Amino acid sequence: MGTFLASRVMTDIFGGLATGAVVALIALSLVIIWQSTHVLNFAQGAMGMFATFVGMNLVFHGLNYWLCLLLSVVTGMVLGGVTERVLIRPLYGKPEINPIVVMIGFLGVIEAVIASIWTTNITMLPSPFSQIYYQSAGHTILVSPFIFYEVALVAIVVIAIALLFRRTNLGLQMRAAALAPEVSRLLGVRVGRLLTLGWILSTGVGTLAAVVVSTGQVLAPTNMDGIFVSAFIAAAVGGLESPLGAIIAGLAIGLTEQFILDFWSTSIAPLSGVIVLVIGLSLRPQGLFTKHVSRRV
Amino acid sequence: MIRVENLSVSYGAVAALRDVTFEAPTGKITTVIGANGAGKTTLLRTISGLVKPRQGSIRLGEFELIGTATEEIARRGVGHVPEGRGVIEELTVEENLRLGALASKVDLAEGIARQFAQFPALESRRRNYAATLSGGERQMLAMARALIARPSVLLLDEPSLGLAPQVTADMMRTISELCASEDLTVILVEQNAKSALRIAHDAVVLHLGRVAAFGTAAEIAADESLRRYYLGVVT
Ligand SMILES: Nc1ncnc2c1ncn2[C@@H]1O[C@H](COP(=O)(O)OP(=O)(O)OP(=O)(O)O)[C@@H](O)[C@H]1O
Ligand SMILES: [Mg+2]
Protein backbone atom coordinates (compact mmCIF):
# COMPACT_ATOMS: atom_id res chain seq x y z
CA MET A 1 0.00 0.00 0.00
CA GLY A 2 2.76 2.39 0.98
CA THR A 3 4.56 1.66 -2.25
CA PHE A 4 1.43 2.31 -4.26
CA LEU A 5 0.60 5.56 -2.46
CA ALA A 6 4.18 6.69 -2.90
CA SER A 7 4.24 5.73 -6.59
CA ARG A 8 5.05 8.39 -9.11
CA VAL A 9 1.50 8.63 -10.47
CA MET A 10 -0.14 8.76 -7.03
CA THR A 11 2.34 11.38 -5.91
CA ASP A 12 1.36 13.51 -8.88
CA ILE A 13 -2.33 12.97 -8.21
CA PHE A 14 -2.01 14.04 -4.58
CA GLY A 15 0.10 17.05 -5.44
CA GLY A 16 -2.19 18.02 -8.30
CA LEU A 17 -5.35 17.77 -6.25
CA ALA A 18 -3.86 19.83 -3.45
CA THR A 19 -3.05 22.69 -5.84
CA GLY A 20 -6.21 22.13 -7.85
CA ALA A 21 -8.43 22.41 -4.79
CA VAL A 22 -7.24 25.96 -4.14
CA VAL A 23 -7.49 26.87 -7.82
CA ALA A 24 -11.05 25.54 -7.73
CA LEU A 25 -11.87 27.61 -4.66
CA ILE A 26 -10.69 30.85 -6.27
CA ALA A 27 -12.48 29.92 -9.50
CA LEU A 28 -15.67 29.38 -7.50
CA SER A 29 -15.34 32.84 -5.98
CA LEU A 30 -15.02 34.32 -9.47
CA VAL A 31 -18.12 32.46 -10.65
CA ILE A 32 -20.15 33.77 -7.70
CA ILE A 33 -19.34 37.36 -8.63
CA TRP A 34 -19.86 36.75 -12.32
CA GLN A 35 -23.22 35.11 -11.70
CA SER A 36 -24.52 37.80 -9.41
CA THR A 37 -23.22 40.93 -11.11
CA HIS A 38 -21.58 39.96 -14.43
CA VAL A 39 -18.28 41.41 -13.36
CA LEU A 40 -14.96 39.68 -13.93
CA ASN A 41 -13.13 40.51 -10.75
CA PHE A 42 -9.49 40.72 -11.71
CA ALA A 43 -8.70 42.13 -8.26
CA GLN A 44 -10.05 39.07 -6.44
CA GLY A 45 -6.60 37.69 -5.65
CA ALA A 46 -5.26 41.02 -4.46
CA MET A 47 -8.36 41.72 -2.37
CA GLY A 48 -7.93 38.34 -0.71
CA MET A 49 -4.28 39.13 -0.04
CA PHE A 50 -5.12 42.49 1.49
CA ALA A 51 -7.54 40.83 3.89
CA THR A 52 -4.94 38.15 4.60
CA PHE A 53 -2.40 40.82 5.52
CA VAL A 54 -4.87 42.53 7.84
CA GLY A 55 -5.78 39.32 9.66
CA MET A 56 -2.81 36.99 9.46
CA ASN A 57 -0.20 39.60 10.37
CA LEU A 58 -1.57 39.39 13.88
CA VAL A 59 -0.26 35.82 14.05
CA PHE A 60 3.17 37.42 14.32
CA HIS A 61 1.90 39.40 17.30
CA GLY A 62 0.89 36.23 19.05
CA LEU A 63 -2.79 36.03 18.13
CA ASN A 64 -4.34 32.60 17.58
CA TYR A 65 -4.20 31.34 13.97
CA TRP A 66 -7.92 30.59 13.76
CA LEU A 67 -8.90 33.94 15.17
CA CYS A 68 -6.69 35.59 12.56
CA LEU A 69 -8.25 33.44 9.85
CA LEU A 70 -11.70 34.54 10.94
CA LEU A 71 -10.59 38.16 11.05
CA SER A 72 -9.11 37.86 7.54
CA VAL A 73 -12.31 36.41 6.10
CA VAL A 74 -14.46 39.07 7.75
CA THR A 75 -12.12 41.77 6.45
CA GLY A 76 -12.35 40.26 2.97
CA MET A 77 -16.15 40.22 3.14
CA VAL A 78 -16.33 43.85 4.24
CA LEU A 79 -13.89 44.84 1.50
CA GLY A 80 -16.00 42.96 -1.06
CA GLY A 81 -19.24 44.60 0.07
CA VAL A 82 -17.75 48.08 0.10
CA THR A 83 -16.12 47.53 -3.30
CA GLU A 84 -19.45 46.53 -4.84
CA ARG A 85 -21.26 49.51 -3.35
CA VAL A 86 -18.62 52.12 -4.14
CA LEU A 87 -16.79 50.98 -7.28
CA ILE A 88 -19.14 48.61 -9.07
CA ARG A 89 -22.68 49.81 -8.39
CA PRO A 90 -22.32 53.02 -10.43
CA LEU A 91 -21.27 50.91 -13.43
CA TYR A 92 -24.31 48.63 -13.74
CA GLY A 93 -25.96 49.00 -17.12
CA LYS A 94 -22.76 50.39 -18.62
CA PRO A 95 -20.56 48.35 -21.02
CA GLU A 96 -19.14 45.22 -19.40
CA ILE A 97 -15.60 46.39 -20.05
CA ASN A 98 -15.95 49.27 -17.55
CA PRO A 99 -15.95 47.24 -14.32
CA ILE A 100 -13.14 45.10 -15.73
CA VAL A 101 -10.97 48.16 -16.26
CA VAL A 102 -11.90 49.49 -12.82
CA MET A 103 -10.99 46.20 -11.13
CA ILE A 104 -7.66 45.94 -12.95
CA GLY A 105 -6.87 49.44 -11.73
CA PHE A 106 -8.02 48.48 -8.24
CA LEU A 107 -5.70 45.46 -8.35
CA GLY A 108 -2.72 47.80 -8.81
CA VAL A 109 -3.94 50.09 -6.05
CA ILE A 110 -4.35 47.25 -3.54
CA GLU A 111 -0.95 45.76 -4.22
CA ALA A 112 0.63 49.21 -3.81
CA VAL A 113 -1.29 49.84 -0.59
CA ILE A 114 -0.23 46.48 0.86
CA ALA A 115 3.40 47.14 -0.04
CA SER A 116 3.30 50.56 1.57
CA ILE A 117 1.64 49.48 4.83
CA TRP A 118 3.44 46.21 5.51
CA THR A 119 6.94 47.07 4.40
CA THR A 120 9.31 44.50 5.81
CA ASN A 121 7.81 41.10 6.09
CA ILE A 122 10.17 38.20 5.82
CA THR A 123 8.71 35.82 8.36
CA MET A 124 6.90 32.72 7.15
CA LEU A 125 3.24 32.43 8.06
CA PRO A 126 3.21 29.31 10.25
CA SER A 127 0.80 26.49 9.44
CA PRO A 128 -1.72 25.25 12.00
CA PHE A 129 -1.03 21.71 10.80
CA SER A 130 2.20 19.97 10.00
CA GLN A 131 3.32 20.36 6.40
CA ILE A 132 5.62 17.37 6.62
CA TYR A 133 4.67 14.57 4.26
CA TYR A 134 3.62 11.20 5.60
CA GLN A 135 6.09 8.34 5.40
CA SER A 136 5.15 4.73 4.82
CA ALA A 137 7.72 1.95 4.93
CA GLY A 138 10.46 4.31 3.88
CA HIS A 139 8.42 5.90 1.06
CA THR A 140 7.26 9.51 1.04
CA ILE A 141 3.57 9.99 0.31
CA LEU A 142 2.86 13.49 -0.98
CA VAL A 143 0.17 14.14 1.60
CA SER A 144 0.54 16.05 4.84
CA PRO A 145 -1.88 16.95 7.63
CA PHE A 146 -1.95 20.45 6.15
CA ILE A 147 -3.02 19.09 2.76
CA PHE A 148 -5.84 17.14 4.42
CA TYR A 149 -6.93 20.33 6.14
CA GLU A 150 -6.71 22.30 2.90
CA VAL A 151 -8.73 19.81 0.87
CA ALA A 152 -11.30 19.40 3.64
CA LEU A 153 -11.67 23.17 3.94
CA VAL A 154 -12.26 23.51 0.19
CA ALA A 155 -14.76 20.65 0.23
CA ILE A 156 -16.68 22.17 3.15
CA VAL A 157 -16.82 25.61 1.54
CA VAL A 158 -17.93 24.18 -1.81
CA ILE A 159 -20.67 22.12 -0.19
CA ALA A 160 -21.80 25.04 1.97
CA ILE A 161 -22.02 27.34 -1.04
CA ALA A 162 -23.87 24.69 -3.05
CA LEU A 163 -26.36 24.18 -0.21
CA LEU A 164 -26.84 27.92 0.16
CA PHE A 165 -27.67 28.39 -3.51
CA ARG A 166 -29.63 25.19 -4.05
CA ARG A 167 -31.43 24.64 -0.78
CA THR A 168 -32.15 27.95 0.92
CA ASN A 169 -34.61 30.73 0.23
CA LEU A 170 -31.81 33.27 0.32
CA GLY A 171 -29.94 31.26 -2.32
CA LEU A 172 -33.07 31.08 -4.45
CA GLN A 173 -33.43 34.86 -4.26
CA MET A 174 -29.76 35.33 -5.12
CA ARG A 175 -30.08 33.10 -8.17
CA ALA A 176 -33.27 34.86 -9.26
CA ALA A 177 -31.74 38.30 -8.76
CA ALA A 178 -28.87 37.30 -11.03
CA LEU A 179 -31.03 35.59 -13.65
CA ALA A 180 -33.85 38.12 -13.85
CA PRO A 181 -33.25 41.26 -11.79
CA GLU A 182 -36.28 43.13 -13.02
CA VAL A 183 -38.74 40.29 -12.52
CA SER A 184 -37.23 39.66 -9.10
CA ARG A 185 -37.82 43.25 -8.08
CA LEU A 186 -41.42 42.98 -9.26
CA LEU A 187 -41.72 40.08 -6.82
CA GLY A 188 -40.38 42.19 -3.96
CA VAL A 189 -36.85 40.81 -3.96
CA ARG A 190 -34.39 43.45 -2.73
CA VAL A 191 -32.00 42.84 -5.59
CA GLY A 192 -29.44 45.51 -4.69
CA ARG A 193 -28.72 43.95 -1.31
CA LEU A 194 -28.34 40.51 -2.84
CA LEU A 195 -25.77 41.75 -5.35
CA THR A 196 -23.74 43.16 -2.48
CA LEU A 197 -24.17 39.86 -0.65
CA GLY A 198 -22.82 38.05 -3.73
CA TRP A 199 -19.64 40.12 -3.52
CA ILE A 200 -19.39 39.63 0.22
CA LEU A 201 -19.64 35.86 -0.15
CA SER A 202 -17.23 35.76 -3.04
CA THR A 203 -14.50 37.81 -1.42
CA GLY A 204 -14.94 35.77 1.76
CA VAL A 205 -14.22 32.62 -0.25
CA GLY A 206 -11.37 34.34 -2.09
CA THR A 207 -9.80 35.39 1.20
CA LEU A 208 -9.98 31.87 2.56
CA ALA A 209 -8.06 30.77 -0.53
CA ALA A 210 -5.50 33.54 -0.05
CA VAL A 211 -4.88 32.48 3.55
CA VAL A 212 -4.41 28.85 2.50
CA VAL A 213 -2.05 29.85 -0.31
CA SER A 214 -0.02 32.06 2.02
CA THR A 215 0.26 29.52 4.84
CA GLY A 216 3.81 28.22 5.06
CA GLN A 217 5.00 31.11 2.91
CA VAL A 218 6.21 34.64 3.39
CA LEU A 219 3.26 37.02 3.20
CA ALA A 220 3.64 38.97 -0.04
CA PRO A 221 1.13 41.09 -1.96
CA THR A 222 1.73 38.97 -5.06
CA ASN A 223 1.16 35.56 -3.41
CA MET A 224 -2.05 35.05 -5.35
CA ASP A 225 -0.91 36.25 -8.77
CA GLY A 226 0.14 32.92 -10.28
CA ILE A 227 -2.69 30.83 -8.91
CA PHE A 228 -5.20 33.54 -9.80
CA VAL A 229 -4.37 33.16 -13.49
CA SER A 230 -5.04 29.41 -13.24
CA ALA A 231 -8.29 30.08 -11.37
CA PHE A 232 -9.36 32.62 -13.93
CA ILE A 233 -8.80 30.09 -16.70
CA ALA A 234 -10.67 27.45 -14.69
CA ALA A 235 -13.66 29.75 -14.28
CA ALA A 236 -13.58 30.57 -17.99
CA VAL A 237 -13.31 26.94 -19.11
CA GLY A 238 -16.17 26.07 -16.78
CA GLY A 239 -18.23 28.65 -18.63
CA LEU A 240 -18.30 31.29 -15.83
CA GLU A 241 -21.92 30.38 -15.17
CA SER A 242 -21.20 27.01 -13.68
CA PRO A 243 -19.77 26.55 -10.18
CA LEU A 244 -19.34 22.82 -10.81
CA GLY A 245 -17.59 23.49 -14.13
CA ALA A 246 -15.19 25.88 -12.41
CA ILE A 247 -14.38 23.37 -9.69
CA ILE A 248 -13.74 20.52 -12.12
CA ALA A 249 -11.61 22.75 -14.34
CA GLY A 250 -9.69 23.97 -11.27
CA LEU A 251 -8.85 20.42 -10.23
CA ALA A 252 -7.93 19.57 -13.83
CA ILE A 253 -5.49 22.47 -13.98
CA GLY A 254 -3.84 21.42 -10.72
CA LEU A 255 -3.43 17.85 -11.96
CA THR A 256 -2.17 18.88 -15.39
CA GLU A 257 0.40 21.15 -13.85
CA GLN A 258 1.68 18.44 -11.54
CA PHE A 259 1.96 15.84 -14.30
CA ILE A 260 3.71 18.25 -16.64
CA LEU A 261 6.12 19.21 -13.88
CA ASP A 262 6.93 15.60 -13.25
CA PHE A 263 6.91 14.03 -16.70
CA TRP A 264 7.84 16.90 -18.93
CA SER A 265 9.47 20.11 -17.85
CA THR A 266 9.40 22.72 -15.13
CA SER A 267 9.41 25.50 -17.67
CA ILE A 268 6.24 24.22 -19.37
CA ALA A 269 4.30 23.78 -16.11
CA PRO A 270 3.09 27.39 -15.84
CA LEU A 271 1.43 26.84 -19.21
CA SER A 272 -0.80 24.06 -17.86
CA GLY A 273 -3.65 26.52 -17.50
CA VAL A 274 -3.37 27.36 -21.17
CA ILE A 275 -3.27 23.67 -22.07
CA VAL A 276 -6.47 23.01 -20.10
CA LEU A 277 -7.98 26.07 -21.73
CA VAL A 278 -7.26 24.77 -25.23
CA ILE A 279 -8.51 21.26 -24.47
CA GLY A 280 -11.52 22.63 -22.60
CA LEU A 281 -12.49 24.92 -25.43
CA SER A 282 -12.17 22.23 -28.07
CA LEU A 283 -14.46 19.97 -26.03
CA ARG A 284 -16.81 22.79 -25.22
CA PRO A 285 -16.51 25.50 -27.85
CA GLN A 286 -19.21 27.62 -26.24
CA GLY A 287 -17.11 27.50 -23.05
CA LEU A 288 -15.60 30.87 -22.46
CA PHE A 289 -18.25 33.48 -22.04
CA THR A 290 -21.24 31.27 -22.85
CA LYS A 291 -24.63 32.38 -23.89
CA HIS A 292 -26.36 35.16 -22.01
CA VAL A 293 -25.76 38.57 -23.46
CA SER A 294 -29.20 39.66 -22.37
CA ARG A 295 -28.81 38.81 -18.71
CA ARG A 296 -27.47 41.95 -17.29
CA VAL A 297 -28.18 44.12 -14.31
CA MET B 1 -57.65 51.31 -5.25
CA ILE B 2 -55.15 52.87 -7.63
CA ARG B 3 -55.52 56.52 -8.60
CA VAL B 4 -53.41 57.86 -11.45
CA GLU B 5 -53.30 61.62 -11.89
CA ASN B 6 -51.75 63.80 -14.58
CA LEU B 7 -49.15 61.18 -15.32
CA SER B 8 -46.60 61.99 -18.04
CA VAL B 9 -43.75 59.76 -19.07
CA SER B 10 -41.07 60.32 -21.69
CA TYR B 11 -38.31 58.16 -23.05
CA GLY B 12 -35.86 60.85 -24.05
CA ALA B 13 -37.71 62.94 -26.58
CA VAL B 14 -40.47 60.36 -27.07
CA ALA B 15 -43.57 61.10 -24.99
CA ALA B 16 -45.08 57.72 -24.05
CA LEU B 17 -47.79 58.97 -21.65
CA ARG B 18 -49.30 62.43 -21.57
CA ASP B 19 -51.39 63.70 -18.72
CA VAL B 20 -53.02 60.37 -17.97
CA THR B 21 -55.71 60.42 -15.27
CA PHE B 22 -58.00 57.56 -14.22
CA GLU B 23 -58.98 55.49 -11.23
CA ALA B 24 -59.03 51.71 -10.77
CA PRO B 25 -61.43 50.82 -7.93
CA THR B 26 -61.02 47.96 -5.47
CA GLY B 27 -62.74 44.68 -6.30
CA LYS B 28 -63.09 45.61 -9.95
CA ILE B 29 -61.30 45.02 -13.22
CA THR B 30 -60.18 48.10 -15.07
CA THR B 31 -58.98 47.31 -18.55
CA VAL B 32 -56.51 49.46 -20.43
CA ILE B 33 -56.81 49.04 -24.18
CA GLY B 34 -55.16 50.74 -27.12
CA ALA B 35 -53.12 50.11 -30.24
CA ASN B 36 -49.48 48.99 -30.27
CA GLY B 37 -47.30 51.71 -28.83
CA ALA B 38 -50.22 53.47 -27.12
CA GLY B 39 -48.36 53.40 -23.80
CA LYS B 40 -50.09 50.51 -22.00
CA THR B 41 -46.96 48.71 -20.88
CA THR B 42 -45.37 52.01 -19.93
CA LEU B 43 -48.35 52.75 -17.69
CA LEU B 44 -48.00 49.45 -15.78
CA ARG B 45 -44.23 49.79 -15.52
CA THR B 46 -44.61 53.29 -14.11
CA ILE B 47 -47.09 52.05 -11.50
CA SER B 48 -44.52 49.43 -10.45
CA GLY B 49 -41.74 52.00 -10.27
CA LEU B 50 -39.70 50.56 -13.14
CA VAL B 51 -40.12 53.75 -15.13
CA LYS B 52 -39.72 57.20 -13.56
CA PRO B 53 -42.39 59.63 -14.75
CA ARG B 54 -41.77 63.25 -15.65
CA GLN B 55 -44.72 64.34 -13.58
CA GLY B 56 -47.92 63.14 -11.99
CA SER B 57 -49.03 61.02 -9.10
CA ILE B 58 -49.96 57.38 -8.59
CA ARG B 59 -51.60 56.51 -5.30
CA LEU B 60 -52.30 53.15 -3.77
CA GLY B 61 -54.97 54.14 -1.28
CA GLU B 62 -53.32 57.14 0.38
CA PHE B 63 -49.76 56.02 -0.38
CA GLU B 64 -47.80 57.73 -3.15
CA LEU B 65 -46.04 55.16 -5.30
CA ILE B 66 -43.95 57.55 -7.34
CA GLY B 67 -40.48 57.71 -5.86
CA THR B 68 -40.91 54.34 -4.15
CA ALA B 69 -38.56 51.53 -5.23
CA THR B 70 -40.04 48.71 -7.31
CA GLU B 71 -39.37 46.05 -4.70
CA GLU B 72 -41.05 48.11 -1.99
CA ILE B 73 -44.07 48.72 -4.23
CA ALA B 74 -44.32 44.96 -4.68
CA ARG B 75 -44.04 44.47 -0.92
CA ARG B 76 -46.93 46.89 -0.43
CA GLY B 77 -49.15 44.48 -2.32
CA VAL B 78 -48.84 45.38 -5.99
CA GLY B 79 -48.50 42.20 -8.06
CA HIS B 80 -47.31 42.66 -11.61
CA VAL B 81 -47.38 40.01 -14.32
CA PRO B 82 -45.18 41.66 -16.94
CA GLU B 83 -45.42 41.63 -20.71
CA GLY B 84 -43.98 38.29 -21.83
CA ARG B 85 -44.87 36.80 -18.41
CA GLY B 86 -41.45 36.97 -16.82
CA VAL B 87 -41.35 33.34 -15.81
CA ILE B 88 -37.75 32.51 -14.81
CA GLU B 89 -36.97 29.57 -17.08
CA GLU B 90 -33.87 28.37 -15.20
CA LEU B 91 -35.92 27.85 -12.05
CA THR B 92 -38.48 25.12 -11.47
CA VAL B 93 -42.19 25.79 -11.25
CA GLU B 94 -42.06 25.46 -7.48
CA GLU B 95 -39.01 27.73 -7.18
CA ASN B 96 -40.79 30.39 -9.21
CA LEU B 97 -43.73 30.15 -6.81
CA ARG B 98 -41.53 30.24 -3.71
CA LEU B 99 -39.83 33.32 -5.07
CA GLY B 100 -43.20 35.03 -5.33
CA ALA B 101 -44.05 34.24 -1.71
CA LEU B 102 -40.74 35.08 -0.02
CA ALA B 103 -41.14 38.83 0.13
CA SER B 104 -44.56 38.50 1.78
CA LYS B 105 -45.71 37.16 5.12
CA VAL B 106 -47.58 34.30 3.49
CA ASP B 107 -46.88 30.80 4.78
CA LEU B 108 -44.93 29.11 2.02
CA ALA B 109 -46.45 25.63 2.05
CA GLU B 110 -49.96 26.97 2.45
CA GLY B 111 -49.48 29.53 -0.31
CA ILE B 112 -48.16 26.96 -2.75
CA ALA B 113 -51.02 24.59 -1.94
CA ARG B 114 -53.50 27.39 -2.56
CA GLN B 115 -52.02 28.16 -5.98
CA PHE B 116 -51.98 24.49 -6.96
CA ALA B 117 -55.65 24.32 -6.04
CA GLN B 118 -56.30 27.36 -8.23
CA PHE B 119 -54.11 26.14 -11.11
CA PRO B 120 -54.06 22.32 -10.92
CA ALA B 121 -52.03 21.98 -14.13
CA LEU B 122 -49.03 23.41 -12.32
CA GLU B 123 -48.94 20.82 -9.57
CA SER B 124 -47.83 17.91 -11.74
CA ARG B 125 -45.10 20.12 -13.18
CA ARG B 126 -43.83 21.45 -9.87
CA ARG B 127 -40.34 19.98 -10.21
CA ASN B 128 -39.96 20.81 -13.91
CA TYR B 129 -38.03 23.80 -15.12
CA ALA B 130 -40.28 26.63 -16.20
CA ALA B 131 -38.51 26.51 -19.58
CA THR B 132 -40.43 23.30 -20.31
CA LEU B 133 -43.88 24.86 -19.84
CA SER B 134 -46.29 25.70 -22.64
CA GLY B 135 -47.46 29.27 -23.19
CA GLY B 136 -50.68 28.68 -21.27
CA GLU B 137 -48.89 26.99 -18.39
CA ARG B 138 -46.41 29.83 -18.22
CA GLN B 139 -49.22 32.32 -17.97
CA MET B 140 -50.73 30.30 -15.12
CA LEU B 141 -47.37 30.19 -13.37
CA ALA B 142 -46.85 33.92 -13.78
CA MET B 143 -50.33 34.59 -12.35
CA ALA B 144 -49.88 32.11 -9.51
CA ARG B 145 -46.49 33.60 -8.65
CA ALA B 146 -48.02 37.07 -8.40
CA LEU B 147 -51.08 35.87 -6.48
CA ILE B 148 -49.24 33.76 -3.93
CA ALA B 149 -48.14 36.91 -2.05
CA ARG B 150 -51.83 37.86 -1.67
CA PRO B 151 -51.52 41.22 -3.39
CA SER B 152 -54.24 43.85 -3.19
CA VAL B 153 -53.50 45.07 -6.71
CA LEU B 154 -52.85 42.91 -9.76
CA LEU B 155 -51.32 44.42 -12.90
CA LEU B 156 -51.64 42.14 -15.93
CA ASP B 157 -49.87 42.98 -19.18
CA GLU B 158 -51.48 41.13 -22.08
CA PRO B 159 -52.12 37.81 -20.35
CA SER B 160 -53.85 36.44 -23.46
CA LEU B 161 -50.87 36.98 -25.75
CA GLY B 162 -50.13 33.83 -27.74
CA LEU B 163 -52.91 31.77 -26.14
CA ALA B 164 -55.55 29.79 -27.98
CA PRO B 165 -59.06 31.31 -27.85
CA GLN B 166 -60.34 28.66 -25.43
CA VAL B 167 -57.35 29.14 -23.11
CA THR B 168 -57.85 32.89 -23.29
CA ALA B 169 -61.49 32.49 -22.33
CA ASP B 170 -60.52 30.31 -19.34
CA MET B 171 -57.87 32.82 -18.32
CA MET B 172 -60.34 35.70 -18.46
CA ARG B 173 -62.82 33.77 -16.35
CA THR B 174 -60.13 33.01 -13.78
CA ILE B 175 -59.18 36.69 -13.59
CA SER B 176 -62.80 37.62 -13.10
CA GLU B 177 -63.32 35.08 -10.30
CA LEU B 178 -60.09 36.03 -8.53
CA CYS B 179 -60.96 39.70 -8.66
CA ALA B 180 -64.24 39.03 -6.89
CA SER B 181 -63.04 36.41 -4.41
CA GLU B 182 -59.85 38.21 -3.35
CA ASP B 183 -61.26 41.71 -3.60
CA LEU B 184 -58.45 42.65 -5.96
CA THR B 185 -57.87 45.87 -7.81
CA VAL B 186 -57.10 44.53 -11.28
CA ILE B 187 -55.60 46.60 -14.07
CA LEU B 188 -55.78 44.49 -17.20
CA VAL B 189 -53.86 45.57 -20.28
CA GLU B 190 -55.09 43.80 -23.40
CA GLN B 191 -54.70 43.76 -27.16
CA ASN B 192 -57.70 41.51 -27.21
CA ALA B 193 -60.12 44.35 -26.44
CA LYS B 194 -63.23 42.31 -27.02
CA SER B 195 -62.61 39.73 -24.31
CA ALA B 196 -61.19 42.34 -21.95
CA LEU B 197 -64.24 44.58 -22.27
CA ARG B 198 -66.45 41.59 -21.60
CA ILE B 199 -65.02 40.91 -18.15
CA ALA B 200 -63.99 44.44 -17.13
CA HIS B 201 -66.07 46.89 -15.13
CA ASP B 202 -64.24 49.98 -16.29
CA ALA B 203 -62.08 50.73 -19.30
CA VAL B 204 -59.40 53.21 -20.25
CA VAL B 205 -58.68 53.72 -23.92
CA LEU B 206 -55.17 54.95 -24.58
CA HIS B 207 -54.25 56.59 -27.85
CA LEU B 208 -50.71 57.81 -28.46
CA GLY B 209 -50.15 58.14 -24.73
CA ARG B 210 -53.35 60.07 -24.01
CA VAL B 211 -56.58 58.90 -22.45
CA ALA B 212 -58.96 58.89 -25.41
CA ALA B 213 -61.84 57.64 -23.24
CA PHE B 214 -62.47 56.49 -19.66
CA GLY B 215 -65.79 54.98 -18.62
CA THR B 216 -67.57 51.76 -17.81
CA ALA B 217 -66.63 48.84 -20.00
CA ALA B 218 -70.18 48.71 -21.32
CA GLU B 219 -70.10 52.34 -22.41
CA ILE B 220 -66.73 51.97 -24.07
CA ALA B 221 -67.79 48.78 -25.85
CA ALA B 222 -70.92 50.46 -27.14
CA ASP B 223 -69.10 53.49 -28.53
CA GLU B 224 -68.43 52.68 -32.16
CA SER B 225 -66.26 55.76 -32.66
CA LEU B 226 -63.69 54.51 -30.13
CA ARG B 227 -63.04 51.25 -31.90
CA ARG B 228 -60.52 52.65 -34.29
CA TYR B 229 -58.30 53.41 -31.29
CA TYR B 230 -58.07 49.93 -29.94
CA LEU B 231 -58.70 47.72 -32.96
CA GLY B 232 -55.42 48.92 -34.44
CA VAL B 233 -56.97 50.95 -37.26
CA VAL B 234 -55.34 54.15 -36.09
CA THR B 235 -55.69 57.09 -38.41
N1 LIG C 1 -37.46 51.63 -23.19
C1 LIG C 1 -37.95 52.45 -24.12
N2 LIG C 1 -37.19 53.37 -24.71
C2 LIG C 1 -37.67 54.21 -25.63
N3 LIG C 1 -38.95 54.21 -26.04
C3 LIG C 1 -39.77 53.30 -25.50
C4 LIG C 1 -39.33 52.39 -24.51
N4 LIG C 1 -40.37 51.60 -24.16
C5 LIG C 1 -41.40 52.03 -24.88
N5 LIG C 1 -41.06 53.05 -25.69
C6 LIG C 1 -41.95 53.78 -26.60
O1 LIG C 1 -43.01 54.28 -25.83
C7 LIG C 1 -44.25 54.12 -26.53
C8 LIG C 1 -45.21 53.29 -25.69
O2 LIG C 1 -44.71 51.97 -25.58
P1 LIG C 1 -45.43 50.85 -24.75
O3 LIG C 1 -44.54 49.67 -24.72
O4 LIG C 1 -45.85 51.40 -23.46
O5 LIG C 1 -46.68 50.55 -25.66
P2 LIG C 1 -47.79 49.41 -25.54
O6 LIG C 1 -49.09 50.11 -25.55
O7 LIG C 1 -47.52 48.52 -24.42
O8 LIG C 1 -47.60 48.64 -26.92
P3 LIG C 1 -47.82 47.09 -27.25
O9 LIG C 1 -49.26 46.90 -27.42
O10 LIG C 1 -47.09 46.91 -28.54
O11 LIG C 1 -47.24 46.29 -26.15
C9 LIG C 1 -43.89 53.51 -27.87
O12 LIG C 1 -43.78 54.54 -28.80
C10 LIG C 1 -42.55 52.87 -27.63
O13 LIG C 1 -41.80 52.86 -28.81
MG1 LIG D 1 -47.08 46.51 -24.25
Side-chain angles (χ1 to χ4, degrees), chain B residues 40-41 83 157-158 189:
Chain B
K40 307 179 297 293
T41 297
E83 197 167 33
D157 199 342
E158 302 202 30
V189 162

Side-chain angles (χ1 to χ4, degrees), chain B residues 9-12 14-17 32-45 51 83 157-158 189-191 206 208-209:
Chain B
V9 174
S10 305
Y11 298 106
V14 183
L17 292 177
V32 177
I33 52 182
N36 291 119
K40 307 179 297 293
T41 297
T42 301
L43 175 62
L44 295 195
R45 289 174 62 83
V51 173
E83 197 167 33
D157 199 342
E158 302 202 30
V189 162
E190 263 300 331
Q191 282 288 327
L206 279 185
L208 300 177

Side-chain angles (χ1 to χ4, degrees), chain A residues 41-57:
Chain A
N41 186 9
F42 280 95
Q44 185 82 317
M47 288 168 77
M49 272 324 292
F50 178 84
T52 301
F53 265 89
V54 170
M56 301 316 284
N57 244 298

Side-chain angles (χ1 to χ4, degrees), chain A residues 210-233:
Chain A
V211 172
V212 169
V213 167
S214 301
T215 299
Q217 285 199 46
V218 173
L219 280 183
T222 51
N223 274 359
M224 289 283 275
D225 286 4
I227 204 163
F228 178 78
V229 173
S230 299
F232 184 78
I233 292 172

Side-chain angles (χ1 to χ4, degrees), chain B residues 2-6 20-24 30 32 43 47 187 204 211 214:
Chain B
I2 292 268
R3 186 198 296 273
V4 174
E5 263 174 278
N6 307 112
V20 169
T21 298
F22 74 95
E23 198 181 298
T30 303
V32 177
L43 175 62
I47 295 173
I187 301 184
V204 178
V211 176
F214 173 43

Side-chain angles (χ1 to χ4, degrees), chain A residues 165-170 172-173 175-177 179-180 182-193 292 295, chain B residues 45 48 50 69-72 74-75 78 80 82 86 88 90-91 95-96 98-100 102-103 108 129 145-146:
Chain A
F165 278 96
R166 292 286 140 199
R167 292 268 181 274
T168 69
N169 288 334
L170 182 64
L172 173 63
Q173 289 180 309
R175 279 189 289 151
L179 290 166
E182 188 173 292
V183 168
S184 299
R185 296 178 69 202
L186 287 176
L187 297 172
V189 178
R190 290 173 172 142
V191 171
R193 293 183 194 182
H292 320 278
R295 276 195 209 162
Chain B
R45 289 174 62 83
S48 277
L50 290 169
T70 298
E71 46 272 47
E72 305 310 322
R75 282 165 182 259
V78 177
H80 186 152
I88 303 180
E90 295 89 343
L91 303 181
E95 284 174 332
N96 268 281
R98 265 167 60 201
L99 192 64
L102 287 178
L108 214 69
Y129 284 99
R145 192 180 60 181

